Structures are given as C-alpha cells and as structure tokens.
Amino acid sequence: MWINELKVFVLGVIGAIGGFISYQLGGWNDVLTILIIFMLVDYVLGVVCAISNKSLKTENGGLSSKAGFNGLLRKGLMFLVVFLGAKLDTVIGSNFIMEAVVIAYILNETISIIENLGILGVPIPSIINKVIDILKKKEQEIGGDLDAK
C-alpha cells in the first residue's frame, strides 16, 4: 500500500511544480506546447546528426556531452526569457510580450530543425519555407525581433 501512497505523493509534487511553472510563465497555452515540441524535435535531430557524425557542434561531427549539455542549457535559458516576458506582461497588463518571445523562439527552432534535416539529407518541402515566412510576418506584426542575440 505504501507504494501507491508514494506514487500519489510524487505525482502530486510533479503536478504542483508543473502548476507553479505554468503560472510563472503566464499560464499554459498552445504556443508553449508547440515551443516544447519543437525544442524536443530540434534536440533529438541534433543528437541524430551527431550519431551520424554530421554535427556542426563538434570538431569530429560526433556526439559530445558538452555540446548536448550546452544545447539543453540554451533551451532552458530560452524559458528564462519567456518567464521574463510573462513578468513584463504582468506589469503592463497584457500577454503580448510573452507570446512574441515564444513565437520568435518557435521560428528559431523551426529554422534549426530544417537545418538539421538538411544536414541529414532530408529534402525540405516548399510549404515549410512558406510557413517560416508566415511566422516571420507574425513576429514582425507583434514587434518581435528574431535576429536579437
């Protein structure tokens, strides 16, 4: 019986942490879900490139724990910027900044995914380039700047 109680406790803690993070990011929505999916796909494709010895992140093109850690750290810091955008939204009473930041990061992840697919020799359909153009226009409409580093 104690295993079930432990399971309930652990799931409760995970739920509480998830709820806290969601609240701090201004509430969970579809753009955050899409961002996470794109981040995961990009990271997995980066690992596949490295396994295929085609990575641009290492001298020999192979796997590197340092490159993998740096990729995860970079993605974590992206969520820090999303968090800061959500807090700025709180100050000005909108959800404009957080969504602009997330859309910019989705576009950035999309470009990275396409680059990784190209490295792996996967042909990219023209519709993907059209989607990137649409995302860039949406970003410009809300005042984002993907080129900011």
Side-chain angles (χ1 to χ4, degrees):
M1 288 308 257
W2 67 271
I3 292 178
N4 285 336
E5 291 173 3
L6 179 62
K7 179 181 174 183
V8 169
F9 175 76
V10 169
L11 292 176
V13 169
I14 291 171
I17 291 170
F20 177 76
I21 291 170
S22 173
Y23 174 77
Q24 293 303 318
L25 293 176
W28 203 259
N29 58 26
D30 289 339
V31 292
L32 283 172
T33 300
I34 292 168
L35 177 61
I36 287 178
I37 291 168
F38 278 47
M39 285 178 155
L40 289 171
V41 169
D42 181 49
Y43 190 80
V44 168
L45 284 174
V47 171
V48 170
C49 285
I51 290 171
S52 302
N53 287 326
K54 296 179 181 180
S55 174
L56 302 177
K57 306 289 183 183
T58 60
E59 286 184 31
N60 65 358
L63 281 171
S64 163
S65 60
K66 181 178 180 183
F69 176 78
N70 287 339
L72 289 174
L73 180 63
R74 185 177 140 265
K75 292 183 186 317
L77 290 173
M78 289 165 65
F79 277 106
L80 174 64
V81 177
V82 172
F83 165 76
L84 294 173
K87 295 300 130 192
L88 288 172
D89 278 338
T90 301
V91 169
I92 64 173
S94 75
N95 64 353
F96 175 80
I97 297 170
M98 186 276 286
E99 288 197 5
V101 168
V102 172
I103 289 170
Y105 283 142
I106 289 170
L107 180 56
N108 190 45
E109 292 296 306
T110 301
I111 292 167
S112 181
I113 288 168
I114 290 170
E115 288 173 349
N116 285 335
L117 290 171
I119 290 169
L120 293 168
V122 176
I124 307 301
S126 62
I127 188 70
I128 299 295
N129 292 323
K130 291 178 184 176
V131 169
I132 290 172
D133 290 339
I134 290 169
L135 285 171
K136 284 183 180 179
K137 286 178 186 172
K138 182 160 179 85
E139 178 193 28
Q140 290 171 349
E141 286 173 12
I142 58 177
D145 183 9
L146 180 65
D147 295 327
K149 303 256 184 223

